[in-house]
Amino acid sequence: MAVIVVRDLVRRFNDLVAVDGVTFDVEEGEIFGFLGPNGAGKSTTIKMLCTLLKPSGGSITLAGFDVVRQPDAVRRAIGLVFQDNSLDDRLTAEENLLFHGLLYGLPRATIRGRMDEVLAMVNLDDRRRDIVHTFSGGMRRRLEIARGLLHHPRVLFLDEPTVGLDPQTRSAIWQHIHRLRQEKNITIFMTTHYMDEAENCDRIAIIDHGRIQALDTPDNLKRGLGGDVITMMTVDDSRLQQEIAARYGVRAVKDEEGLRLQVGDGATFIPRVAADFGGQINSISLRRPTLDDVFLSLTGRAIREEKLSAADLMRLNRRHGRRH
Amino acid sequence: MQPALRAIYTIWYREFIRFIRERSRIVGMIGQPLLYLLIVGQGISAAMGFRGVPANVPVNYVQFMYPGILGMSVLFTSIFSGVSIIWDREFGFLKEVLVAPVPRWATALGKALGGSTVALIQAAIMLLLAPFIKVPLTPLIILQLLGILFLISLSLTFFGIAIASRMETMEGFQMIMNFLVMPLFFLSGAIFPMTNLPSWMAFFMKIDPLTYGVDALRRIIYADADPRVVEFLVHYSLGFDLAVIALMALVLGILGSWSFSRQE
């Protein structure tokens, strides 16, 4: 059964169309990912799903409730972990959870029981009486996830849940997310612009310029590309790019890895290109397509080319600064 | 519990806990009015006496100023509490409240009640000073004072919320202090009497709603004093003062809740 139903969703900001006719369903118990570069419309969509922003057009039904007409029913059914910190860092971990429970109308006795449950889940039970101010970025994020779960939502929204976190913390948070889904059959809707993170999702919608470019499981998306990806370190990227296009009719893309191109059968292509352009190539490697390659073939750009935006940098700095 | 009630309670409770935890804020908010009363008050009366007062009226400048300083401490604390929503937005907590299944107006009211509670605690501490400057207070007077101060404080916190709902960052805060809060304070009759002033200034004092708050405070504090003192200090009837304060509370309460509910 679909727990989120989105039809022809549109959001305009003056002349800018941030979300341009998006339609999809999310099934109960699924980990569903929105993957795209900054500014693709991910955050705008998640805000509309969470009742924080009114759609300019289209409809959203969440857990059977209409997001525009029954916002309070929707709010009770969802938990949210924002991209930016939304804890009160002058309060203790317990107090942050208590206030959340009170706002969602849970009796105090219930709150106490669930506090133990969610704090244990994110391994923060030993820090429950500490002021959040003293927590690291990863601990804060875990506490926010704990808080988002306190009222037992049917859908948990994670907006860039691991941005700015170190790799260990990221993988720890993912472990929590998988366990949650297993134990509670909770639906998880997340946005990310990390490719490796998107691999954790059951299904991914690739979004760019406010539209869904593709929607499938990570494996199907990659399989859909077919063939292999070849990357080459060359003497002169631009020159070889043109010569490869002229000789084989294959479009190569320049990125920080060097020249990247997609071919049907890599094992036979490599000897050919080595024989034809041997003098210009320093190294060649062959790999299976990744989600990044999928994104590239859909949009003509690589996500990882995207530099951090000013807002991202500020966010990272702020998080980092407050760790001390 | 009803969603509105639990929002009011939760937000109020958070304000209260944060207040208790921030010792420096407590020291600051008691220190500032003390500074005005002891240094500005004593300094001005030492340098200039209290020349506005007729010779036969037995009141000194510090006694004149005391009710005004009570009003001032409530003014600063309340506006500051309301405007602190900007910090909540900056550091994220506001989002958590905005997506909770509770009405926004109730959140604003909880915030206003929290700000008023803090302001009243501060005022209660200031009342402890009354015996030292020879202002006799009775339990009834104290109760009436706290009632008036509560109304003033509620309106001003709502005012702060209304301002904060329109401000993106803290950068405008200094502007608000200089061009709004300080004039409200100076023109309220807190530190100089409304007599013998240029007419433009008398006009501004009359349209400053705080004037009526300070007037009511003086009326209550000096209710049992020499009639000449009352006649000199108080300009309006208590009923009129109360009507103005109640109207201000209503208008600012609606403005504050409305502005807060409108923000995205």
Side-chain angles (χ1 to χ4, degrees):
Chain A
M1 199 196 91
V3 68
I4 305 177
V5 179
V6 177
R7 292 288 174 269
D8 307 317
L9 188 65
V10 175
R11 173 69 204 202
R12 281 181 286 269
F13 295 101
N14 301 322
D15 291 340
L16 178 84
V17 184
V19 176
D20 189 8
V22 161
T23 293
F24 62 91
D25 289 353
V26 179
E27 301 298 320
E28 183 110 51
E30 185 176 29
I31 299 182
F32 187 91
F34 246 36
L35 174 70
N38 290 318
K42 296 182 310 247
S43 286
T44 308
T45 305
I46 214 169
K47 275 187 187 146
M48 288 191 282
L49 295 178
C50 299
T51 76
L52 275 177
L53 200 63
K54 285 212 166 59
S56 311
S59 72
I60 307 169
T61 313
L62 203 148
F65 303 109
D66 184 278
V67 165
V68 176
R69 278 184 311 227
Q70 300 157 287
D72 277 354
V74 170
R75 285 171 189 179
R76 266 190 296 275
I78 62 176
L80 278 163
V81 177
F82 299 104
Q83 202 168 348
D84 302 295
N85 174 46
S86 69
L87 297 163
D88 188 330
D89 69 354
R90 303 275 157 185
L91 301 179
T92 64
E94 270 188 346
E95 284 162 349
N96 268 288
L97 295 178
L98 171 69
F99 288 146
H100 181 86
L102 289 174
L103 281 175
Y104 282 76
L106 304 177
R108 272 175 193 261
T110 312
I111 296 175
R112 266 193 298 279
R114 296 217 186 146
M115 228 184 238
D116 296 341
E117 171 194 316
V118 295
L119 283 172
M121 172 173 272
V122 297
N123 299 328
L124 281 174
D125 18 11
D126 52 329
R127 299 293 301 267
R128 56 196 297 161
R129 297 222 159 82
D130 294 351
I131 305 271
V132 171
H133 193 61
T134 63
F135 283 20
S136 69
M139 289 164 68
R140 280 167 197 245
R141 202 34 77 92
R142 270 147 56 204
L143 180 59
E144 290 198 65
I145 292 176
R147 185 180 64 180
L149 294 169
L150 193 77
H151 56 287
H152 286 175
R154 285 179 66 190
V155 182
L156 182 67
F157 286 95
L158 302 166
D159 192 8
E160 305 268 356
T162 61
V163 86
L165 298 179
D166 57 86
Q168 277 118 319
T169 313
R170 276 169 70 177
S171 84
I173 284 178
W174 270 106
Q175 279 174 17
H176 290 309
I177 293 174
H178 282 300
R179 212 166 79 207
L180 256 178
R181 196 260 298 265
Q182 237 164 31
E183 288 175 8
K184 305 209 181 287
N185 194 35
I186 195 172
T187 308
I188 290 160
F189 183 102
M190 62 171 308
T191 68
T192 184
H193 62 273
Y194 293 127
M195 292 298 162
D196 48 338
E197 209 159 78
E199 301 272 359
N200 284 294
C201 298
D202 298 323
R203 284 194 306 150
I204 300 169
I206 292 182
I207 183 165
D208 194 32
H209 299 304
R211 287 169 175 276
I212 291 182
Q213 311 289 343
L215 198 168
D216 212 330
T217 64
D219 281 344
N220 280 347
L221 286 171
K222 285 181 282 187
R223 204 170 299 135
L225 272 190
D228 301 303
V229 174
I230 287 173
T231 51
M232 296 185 281
M233 304 278 278
T234 74
V235 178
D236 182 346
D237 282 349
S238 306
R239 193 176 137 205
L240 198 57
Q241 188 180 26
Q242 282 167 13
E243 291 185 10
I244 283 176
R247 180 166 306 206
Y248 313 117
V250 175
R251 197 166 60 94
V253 178
K254 281 190 289 183
D255 69 6
E256 70 260 39
E257 281 182 71
L259 270 189
R260 175 147 60 131
L261 56 152
Q262 208 186 308
V263 294
D265 183 2
T268 59
F269 182 80
I270 289 177
R272 270 171 71 200
V273 77
D276 292 344
F277 300 106
Q280 294 185 49
I281 301 171
N282 296 328
S283 73
I284 302 182
S285 63
L286 170 77
R287 60 177 168 75
R288 308 293 304 165
T290 64
L291 284 174
D292 202 14
D293 301 313
V294 175
F295 188 82
L296 179 74
S297 79
L298 286 169
T299 67
R301 293 178 291 134
I303 284 196
R304 86 177 90 101
E305 281 168 18
E306 301 276 327
K307 296 284 177 269
L308 283 178
S309 70
D312 274 341
L313 283 173
M314 217 173 71
R315 196 174 301 131
L316 288 176
N317 283 338
R318 189 191 291 158
R319 268 205 197 119
H320 190 72
R322 277 193 290 160
R323 251 178 236 185
H324 303 291
Chain B
M1 230 194 308
Q2 288 297 305
L5 276 181
R6 65 180 195 242
I8 295 170
Y9 168 73
T10 309
I11 303 299
W12 171 84
Y13 187 36
R14 167 186 181 247
E15 289 296 302
F16 186 68
I17 289 192
R18 283 188 61 126
F19 167 68
I20 297 183
R21 206 153 282 164
E22 284 175 56
R23 304 252 158 73
S24 62
R25 200 173 141 202
I26 304 180
V27 172
M29 64 185 242
I30 292 165
Q32 192 188 30
L34 268 184
L35 215 67
Y36 269 83
L37 200 60
L38 295 181
I39 298 181
V40 178
Q42 298 287 355
I44 286 181
S45 58
M48 291 172 262
F50 191 13
R51 288 195 300 181
V53 67
N56 58 348
V57 178
V59 64
N60 65 37
Y61 181 69
V62 175
Q63 288 168 330
F64 163 80
M65 196 192 189
Y66 177 70
I69 296 301
L70 276 180
M72 179 198 82
S73 65
V74 163
L75 166 70
F76 288 176
T77 303
S78 307
I79 298 259
F80 184 81
S81 289
V83 170
S84 72
I85 284 190
I86 296 174
W87 274 280
D88 292 343
R89 188 162 45 213
E90 188 81 10
F91 297 110
F93 182 76
L94 190 65
K95 245 190 198 171
E96 148 83 356
V97 180
L98 293 182
V99 292
V102 294
R104 300 241 170 120
W105 64 263
T107 302
L109 180 56
K111 184 93 189 167
L113 286 172
S116 313
T117 305
V118 170
L120 281 193
I121 293 173
Q122 182 186 16
I125 295 168
M126 293 290 300
L127 287 176
L128 295 176
L129 291 176
F132 297 102
I133 53 167
K134 302 198 172 59
V135 175
L137 295 179
T138 65
L140 182 67
I141 291 182
I142 291 177
L143 218 62
Q144 289 174 312
L145 283 179
L146 290 179
I148 300 266
L149 287 170
F150 173 72
L151 266 185
I152 298 176
S153 159
L154 196 66
S155 0
L156 292 173
T157 316
F158 268 126
F159 190 36
I161 292 172
I163 295 169
S165 303
R166 276 140 205 280
M167 260 163 67
E168 290 286 312
T169 62
M170 281 317 296
E171 277 147 35
F173 184 66
Q174 210 52 41
M175 280 263 289
I176 303 284
M177 281 307 284
N178 286 333
F179 292 104
L180 206 70
V181 180
M182 293 311 280
L184 274 177
F185 165 55
F186 288 134
L187 291 170
S188 69
I191 51 174
F192 45 78
M194 259 178 103
T195 41
N196 308 326
L197 291 173
S199 60
W200 65 267
M201 199 158 145
F203 169 76
F204 280 112
M205 288 180 81
K206 277 183 191 147
I207 59 167
D208 179 353
L210 266 192
T211 298
Y212 305 91
V214 171
D215 199 61
L217 295 175
R218 289 210 173 101
R219 161 83 67 187
I220 292 167
I221 290 180
Y222 296 111
D224 303 326
D226 193 308
R228 286 171 300 178
V229 173
V230 178
E231 198 200 338
F232 169 69
L233 289 179
V234 180
H235 303 277
Y236 304 98
S237 72
L238 190 57
F240 185 70
D241 285 338
L242 279 177
V244 174
I245 298 167
L247 185 70
M248 168 173 80
L250 187 71
V251 170
L252 292 177
I254 292 171
L255 178 73
S257 323
W258 179 75
S259 312
F260 184 77
S261 306
R262 259 174 39 112
Q263 64 182 333
E264 281 198 331

